[in-house]
Amino acid sequence: MNTIGFVGAGNMARALGGGIAREARDTVALRATDPVVEATQSFVEATGGAADPDMLSLAAACDVLVLAVKPQVLEGVLADLAPHVGARHLVVSIVAGATIDGMSRRLGEGIRLVRAMPNTPALVGQGMTVLVGGAHATADDLSLCLTLFAAVGRAVAVDDEELLDAVTAVSGSGPGFLFAYAEAMLAAAGAVDLPAELSVALVQQTILGAATLWRQSDEGVDVLRQRVTSPGGTTQAGLEALETNGFGAAIRAAIEAATRRSKELSAG
């Protein structure tokens, strides 16, 4: 049985821990520590796991340590954790912008590290996580991590850590972009006199339904778009208006800007 310890017990830790508890309760034990006592208590309530008073006791009790802290406190966390991790530990980071090389230099060369980029839909079991293993992570380490993150959505592994900047832009920041699109849809629905409650139902279900249709289809998204676009119809008129107003260029600019920012954060 793997004992998994969360350094940090915030929303993402509780989501991941809760998913793991539901999917693999008989094969893992969960623990957490957080300087905010209420956060640790919420983790215990959400997962059925145990609380540890500090990182020393957590590292002593666990085989897998998940770093789930804010980027601005990671430096101190790694300094405190370094004396207590060794060859038996697998360290998994979900800290945005924290590179494997940077964490290795602080924790010590030879530490088995996996870097993961999950996104906020993990909070409802619909997350997307991309993983990359460090030089000392084994195939079994990556397999374990894929299983853990699959408990809160989809998970894939890549070989190139540099891809994670673009991953951060597309799936990490993507929910924010989609929520902004939904806000614009709601505002536009109001402008054509739809009641607010009806507008919310229409936009929510349309986004969910379209995503589900794409997920379950064997066809590309371009084909699905073409099928709903009748020549001279309402969808064609709307799509032409979007393009005239720079829709595609704006989306590309958003992804490129988010990718650049992720690279800046990774560079420190």
Side-chain angles (χ1 to χ4, degrees):
M1 175 178 286
N2 288 301
T3 304
I4 301 170
F6 287 82
V7 181
N11 289 337
M12 193 62 76
R14 289 196 298 273
L16 181 55
I20 294 169
R22 288 190 300 273
E23 300 295 326
R25 185 176 297 275
D26 295 333
T27 60
V28 299
L30 300 175
R31 308 182 72 89
T33 189
D34 194 294
V36 179
V37 174
E38 292 80 6
T40 310
Q41 291 173 340
S42 294
F43 179 92
V44 170
E45 292 169 3
T47 67
D52 281 277
D54 51 44
M55 283 184 283
L56 171 60
S57 60
L58 188 76
C62 298
D63 314 298
V64 181
L65 295 170
V66 180
L67 305 180
V69 298
K70 299 293 185 184
Q72 58 266 31
V73 304
L74 180 63
E75 190 78 22
V77 167
L78 293 175
D80 291 342
L81 191 60
H84 309 300
V85 296
R88 76 178 183 86
H89 291 106
L90 168 62
V91 179
V92 183
S93 170
I94 63 172
V95 182
T99 65
I100 289 172
D101 180 63
M103 290 185 289
S104 293
R105 282 188 274 107
R106 289 159 179 79
L107 290 176
E109 293 298 329
I111 295 296
R112 291 152 49 218
L113 270 167
V114 172
R115 181 181 171 191
M117 182 64 227
N119 65 4
T120 54
L123 298 172
V124 292
Q126 293 295 329
M128 180 70 236
T129 304
V130 178
L131 309 165
V132 61
H136 302 285
T138 67
D140 286 343
D141 292 336
L142 277 174
S143 179
L144 173 62
C145 288
L146 285 169
T147 298
L148 297 180
F149 284 96
V152 291
R154 300 181 73 177
V156 299
V158 298
D159 295 326
D160 185 357
E161 187 180 7
E162 291 188 3
L163 291 175
L164 292 194
D165 293 316
V167 166
T168 299
V170 174
S171 64
S173 298
F177 303 152
L178 188 59
F179 293 144
Y181 172 77
E183 285 182 298
M185 285 278 283
L186 290 173
V192 293
D193 299 326
L194 281 173
E197 185 175 351
L198 176 59
S199 297
V200 170
L202 291 172
V203 174
Q204 283 182 337
Q205 190 59 34
T206 298
I207 291 173
L208 175 62
T212 303
L213 176 61
W214 183 18
R215 175 80 176 269
Q216 295 181 0
S217 176
D218 294 328
E219 297 175 317
V221 68
D222 57 333
V223 174
L224 295 174
R225 175 189 52 77
Q226 290 166 6
R227 289 197 171 176
V228 75
T229 309
S230 301
T234 59
T235 304
Q236 181 177 341
L239 288 172
E240 289 174 354
L242 283 174
E243 200 53 43
T244 297
N245 286 276
F247 180 73
I251 295 299
R252 178 171 177 173
I255 297 297
E256 290 176 346
T259 301
R260 285 194 301 272
R261 184 57 181 150
S262 179
K263 289 179 178 179
E264 292 168 358
L265 292 172
S266 296

